[in-house]
Amino acid sequence: MKKALMMILSLALFGCSPASSEQVKKDITEDKQVTTMKKNEEFQENPQVPNDQSLIEVGDEFEDEKGKVTLKKIVAIDQTVEIGNIEMTIKDVKLIQLMPDYSLIDYFHSLTHEEKFVFAKLDVEIKNTSDESLNFAPVAMIETNQGEAIPWENDIYLEGLNGKIEGQERKVGNMGFIVEKADLQSLTITTSNVFTKDEKKLQDAATINVNFKE
C-alpha cells in the first residue's frame, strides 16, 4: 500500500512534467514570435536608406537596391525622458557609413557631395501622454564632440516624427544626420520645446548625451 501510494504521488508530481516542459517551450516560442511580429509591424522600410536592422556589431554590412551600409559604431541607450507630456525613448544610436546607389545620389546632394559618407542614426519612439494635440520634434539639433552643429532640417529619413502629435498618439521611426567628421566620441541631442497646437510653449527642450564606446 505504501509503495502504491508513493507511485501515485510520483505520477502526480512528475508524470506531467514532460508535457508541461513542452508547453513552456511552446509558450516561449510563441512569445518570441509575437515580439518579432510586433517589431516587424512597427518597422517601415525607408525609400532612401537601406535597412540597418541587421547591423548590430561594428563592421556589419548590408546591401540592397538603395545602396550599401556599414556599421561604424553603436550604443544601445533604451533611455526614456519626459519632456512635459511627451515621453521620448531613444532605443539606440548608430554611426553608419552609407554608399548610396547611383539612382539616389541626387537625393543626398543637398546635404553632401561625397559618394560615401557617415551619418548618425537614431531609433526613436515618442508618445503624447495628454489628451491634447501637441507640437514637438525629437531632434532640434545634434552637436558632436568634433564641433559640428546639425539642425533638424538635415534629417535624411523624413519619416514624419516632427510636428503635430495627437493626444495619446505614439510615433515610432528613425532620424539620421550626415556628419562631416566621422570619428565621433560623443554627441548631444537637443529636442525641441513642447508647444500646444496654438504654438504656446508648455515645456523647455531636453538634452541627451550619447557616448560611443571604443
Side-chain angles (χ1 to χ4, degrees):
M1 181 70 178
K2 184 175 180 181
K3 183 177 181 180
L5 181 59
M6 291 296 294
M7 288 180 65
I8 292 171
L9 287 173
S10 296
L11 287 172
L13 290 173
F14 304 110
C16 296
S17 58
S20 299
S21 176
E22 289 301 318
Q23 184 62 46
V24 169
K25 291 179 181 178
K26 182 180 178 182
D27 291 343
I28 291 172
T29 301
E30 288 177 351
D31 287 344
K32 288 181 178 179
Q33 290 174 344
V34 169
T35 301
T36 301
M37 288 174 62
K38 286 181 178 178
K39 287 182 178 179
N40 290 338
E41 287 172 359
E42 288 183 349
F43 178 77
Q44 295 183 357
E45 194 78 28
N46 188 274
Q48 290 87 29
V49 187
N51 181 355
D52 70 278
Q53 284 189 312
S54 64
L55 306 185
I56 56 177
E57 294 185 0
V58 172
D60 285 350
E61 297 180 342
F62 176 77
E63 186 171 2
D64 63 13
E65 71 281 358
K66 288 168 285 191
K68 180 179 180 180
V69 286
T70 305
L71 185 61
K72 294 300 183 180
K73 292 186 179 182
I74 182 172
V75 56
I77 299 178
D78 203 22
Q79 175 183 350
T80 300
V81 295
E82 294 184 3
I83 309 116
N85 288 321
I86 296 291
E87 283 184 357
M88 171 174 159
T89 301
I90 298 180
K91 299 174 184 179
D92 58 45
V93 178
K94 297 177 178 179
L95 286 183
I96 298 174
Q97 178 181 278
L98 170 60
M99 185 166 60
D101 182 77
Y102 181 80
S103 62
L104 288 167
I105 289 177
D106 286 346
Y107 174 78
F108 295 103
H109 262 181
S110 62
L111 299 173
T112 181
H113 290 285
E114 299 294 331
E115 294 184 0
K116 182 168 61 177
F117 53 84
V118 172
F119 66 95
K121 182 256 182 183
L122 290 67
D123 186 352
V124 180
E125 175 182 330
I126 57 174
K127 181 179 179 181
N128 179 358
T129 61
S130 76
D131 294 324
E132 304 296 326
S133 177
L134 301 174
N135 278 290
F136 177 73
V139 176
M141 179 78 68
I142 283 185
E143 297 173 273
T144 75
N145 69 293
Q146 299 278 23
E148 290 183 71
I150 309 165
W152 64 270
E153 293 95 337
N154 288 18
D155 174 30
I156 65 175
Y157 277 86
L158 304 178
E159 293 186 353
L161 295 176
N162 294 335
K164 183 166 69 172
I165 178 168
E166 300 291 351
Q168 301 302 321
E169 184 181 3
R170 174 175 167 269
K171 294 182 180 182
V172 178
N174 304 294
M175 302 187 78
F177 302 87
I178 297 173
V179 295
E180 292 183 7
K181 300 176 181 179
D183 188 22
L184 300 184
Q185 305 304 315
S186 64
L187 54 84
T188 299
I189 301 163
T190 303
T191 73
S192 74
N193 299 322
V194 180
F195 297 93
T196 67
K197 61 181 180 181
D198 300 319
E199 299 302 321
K200 177 183 177 182
K201 188 172 82 169
L202 295 177
Q203 184 69 37
D204 289 334
T207 58
I208 300 168
N209 297 313
V210 179
N211 294 305
F212 293 101
K213 296 179 180 178
E214 293 297 329

